[in-house]
Amino acid sequence: MPSGSPHHRWTLVSRVMVGVLSLLALGGVVVALASFAYGRSAARQAFDPLLVGAAQDIAESISISDGAPVIDLPVSAFGLLSLAPDDRIFYAIYGPDGALLTGYDGQDLPERSGNPAQTRYRDGTMQGDAARFVTVSRLFSERAYSGRVFVTVGQTMQARRAMALDLTRRALLLTALGGIALIVSAFVVIRSAMRPLAVLTRDLMHRDPYDLTPMQAGGPAEVTIMVGAMNRFMGRLDRQVGAMKNLISDTAHQLRTPVAAIRAQAELALEDEAQRPQRLDRLVLRTRSLGTLLDQMLSRALVIHRIDNAAPTPIDLRDIALTVLDSRDHELLAPGKDVQLQIGEDAVMALADEISLTEAVRNMLGNALRHGIAPVVVGVSVDGDIAAIWVQDTGPGPPDAVRAALGQRFERTAASKGNSAGLGLSIVAAVARAFDGQMIMANVPGGFRVSLTLPLKQQDTP
């Protein structure tokens, strides 16, 4: 099975649980090390005073007789150390010159640097086993004998290690019990937190493939954000599917009559030689009308696709007007008609899609050339915080009752029947809505103007 198969993918709950278990394992290692260190420290604090007490008892039992130290080992000194019955004991007494007075030889006397009266500890070995040693001293200042006598007492560390391990085991046992409780609690909490995702998954699995209506946004904030993103995606997909359906439906509906008419005119032209020139003229008109219809339908499909997929960018509306006029499409559409440009010197910025905006202005200009009166002016202006790109002709425009219906798909005036697809202004209206603008039709001094207005984008000041 491929590595990308869903069966090899971890669930979100398992990933979170693995993360929690990893943190708990790391914490357990830290607690174990800390517990062992604490156990060793506690054992040292418990047994070191016994060593010091035994050494001091021995030191106190030393006396001077005939100019030499006399040692009478007290039983109590070793009674304290007998609390660790499995450990061996070492003791040695050294004179001021380092000579062994009594005890076991073979252990080095601790360094005498520093304060000789200070109690000194060191770790070493006793017959191959780890041991702990302490050295204390007693000062004698008598006429017959003067100097310090050093007493070293040692003990192996089995009892210390046993105590440290016992404390570590107890700490680890408590940690393990607490860890198990945390794991169970974490599992319950994580499953509870993931329940909205399970509900969302179940709803998606049982949803009809053609159902693109928004989903209910409930649960935690993260799930709400995800559902919101999914709803926005489904909204864009719904618009794309709707546009595709409309394009297919419109194509089937709008092309049926022109294609049938073209076929009929062509057949009549073949059959009737006398009427052939007139038939060919009608055939040319029909093909031109069909070409206009196809151009506008493809233009509308392109605009709808760009609106849902292209992010708006800052655009100077003057550049759009220049692009439309520089293409010189109007010279082919309406030869001989005067088209003028009216823009200022300052940039007029708006957030939009350049291709969609260009298509909208081309349709505005084409509509004016087909149905308006020349000269036609393409202009850009600013009114407060509103930027506008407009097309104006010198005609009166359609009646007020007709203007309300213009901008809808395949809506045509009586004067434009057979000469327009009725899609030009609907493209303009769709682009305006997509970028928070408006399409405005109004009579102005000197003629009729169609404007596409957008919120003005203020230029950043350096």
Side-chain angles (χ1 to χ4, degrees):
M1 187 174 293
S3 60
S5 173
H7 296 287
H8 286 178
R9 297 176 184 172
W10 287 16
T11 64
L12 187 58
V13 173
S14 62
R15 292 187 179 188
V16 175
M17 285 302 300
V18 168
V20 171
L21 291 175
S22 300
L23 291 176
L24 289 177
L26 179 61
V29 172
V30 173
V31 169
L33 295 176
S35 300
F36 185 70
Y38 170 76
R40 291 184 60 184
S41 176
R44 182 168 294 180
Q45 293 177 7
F47 285 92
D48 279 358
L50 300 181
L51 281 177
V52 174
Q56 289 177 345
D57 284 348
I58 293 173
E60 290 297 329
S61 68
I62 300 173
S63 61
I64 305 299
S65 177
D66 297 330
V70 177
I71 303 166
D72 183 13
L73 293 177
V75 178
S76 60
F78 299 101
L80 295 174
L81 299 178
S82 65
L83 295 176
D86 295 331
D87 283 317
R88 296 188 301 276
I89 301 171
F90 165 90
Y91 76 94
I93 303 173
Y94 302 90
D97 56 356
L100 179 65
L101 301 179
T102 185
Y104 302 96
D105 199 2
Q107 297 293 334
D108 297 332
L109 187 68
E111 294 292 336
R112 298 186 182 183
S113 59
N115 185 3
Q118 185 179 6
T119 301
R120 304 173 201 179
Y121 298 93
R122 71 183 179 91
D123 292 327
T125 59
M126 183 187 301
Q127 297 178 353
D129 293 331
R132 178 78 167 169
F133 299 91
V134 65
T135 299
V136 299
S137 65
R138 180 178 177 185
L139 178 62
F140 290 92
S141 300
E142 299 184 12
R143 182 177 300 177
Y145 189 90
S146 178
R148 285 189 176 273
V149 175
F150 294 89
V151 179
T152 299
V153 177
Q155 186 181 32
T156 55
M157 304 176 68
Q158 294 184 22
R160 293 170 181 258
R161 285 197 298 265
M163 180 178 180
L165 291 175
D166 182 62
L167 292 175
T168 303
R169 281 194 297 268
R170 292 174 182 269
L172 289 179
L173 178 60
L174 293 176
T175 302
L177 294 176
I180 293 173
L182 286 176
I183 291 173
V184 174
S185 301
F187 180 77
V188 173
V189 172
I190 292 171
R191 286 298 299 270
S192 176
M194 298 299 175
R195 188 171 293 114
L197 291 178
V199 173
L200 179 62
T201 303
R202 185 173 62 252
D203 292 344
L204 284 174
M205 292 180 63
H206 291 87
R207 175 175 279 233
D208 188 273
Y210 300 99
D211 184 6
L212 296 176
T213 57
M215 303 183 65
Q216 294 296 326
E222 293 81 2
V223 175
T224 302
I225 293 173
M226 183 178 68
V227 172
M230 292 177 59
N231 286 338
R232 289 191 293 272
F233 170 76
M234 289 194 298
R236 292 196 303 270
L237 184 61
D238 189 35
R239 288 192 295 272
Q240 292 287 340
V241 172
M244 181 182 66
K245 290 180 178 178
N246 288 333
L247 179 61
I248 296 173
S249 174
D250 294 342
T251 302
H253 180 268
Q254 296 295 324
L255 294 184
R256 184 180 296 110
T257 300
V259 170
I262 289 173
R263 184 174 64 248
Q265 294 292 342
E267 291 174 351
L268 290 174
L270 291 175
E271 295 174 357
D272 189 355
E273 294 184 5
Q275 297 294 325
R276 185 171 297 171
Q278 294 86 347
R279 300 295 184 188
L280 291 178
D281 289 339
R282 293 179 182 178
L283 186 61
V284 170
L285 290 177
R286 283 291 187 179
T287 55
R288 287 177 179 174
S289 175
L290 180 60
T292 300
L293 173 62
L294 290 175
D295 287 342
Q296 290 191 343
M297 290 179 67
L298 293 176
S299 176
R300 178 177 175 81
L302 172 64
V303 166
I304 292 176
H305 172 76
R306 297 284 304 182
I307 286 173
D308 282 335
N309 293 276
T313 56
I315 297 174
D316 188 349
L317 298 186
R318 300 178 306 164
D319 294 338
I320 301 297
L322 289 170
T323 299
V324 172
L325 263 67
D326 289 344
S327 66
R328 299 187 178 276
D329 291 342
H330 58 279
E331 295 179 358
L332 299 176
L333 180 64
K337 286 192 176 182
D338 184 21
V339 178
Q340 303 173 6
L341 179 67
Q342 183 176 326
I343 58 177
E345 297 181 357
D346 297 330
V348 180
M349 304 300 296
L351 287 176
D353 173 59
E354 181 178 359
I355 295 178
S356 300
L357 202 57
T358 301
E359 288 294 322
V361 176
R362 280 178 177 159
N363 279 276
M364 291 164 61
L365 178 58
N367 191 74
L369 290 173
R370 290 189 187 94
H371 313 304
I373 300 176
V376 176
V377 181
V378 178
V380 174
S381 60
V382 176
D383 184 9
D385 58 353
I386 300 297
I389 184 167
W390 44 267
V391 176
Q392 178 179 326
D393 67 86
T394 56
D400 293 340
V402 177
R403 294 181 191 179
L406 293 178
Q408 301 177 12
R409 290 185 302 122
F410 305 110
E411 186 64 37
R412 293 172 288 187
T413 62
S416 65
K417 295 291 185 181
N419 192 34
S420 173
L423 287 173
L425 293 182
S426 73
I427 294 173
V428 179
V431 173
R433 288 192 301 268
F435 302 109
D436 299 326
Q438 287 183 302
M439 183 187 73
I440 299 176
M441 296 178 288
N443 289 98
V444 296
F448 176 72
R449 176 180 295 183
V450 178
S451 302
L452 194 161
T453 65
L454 297 169
L456 180 67
K457 183 182 185 301
Q458 301 295 336
Q459 290 183 300
D460 298 331
T461 57

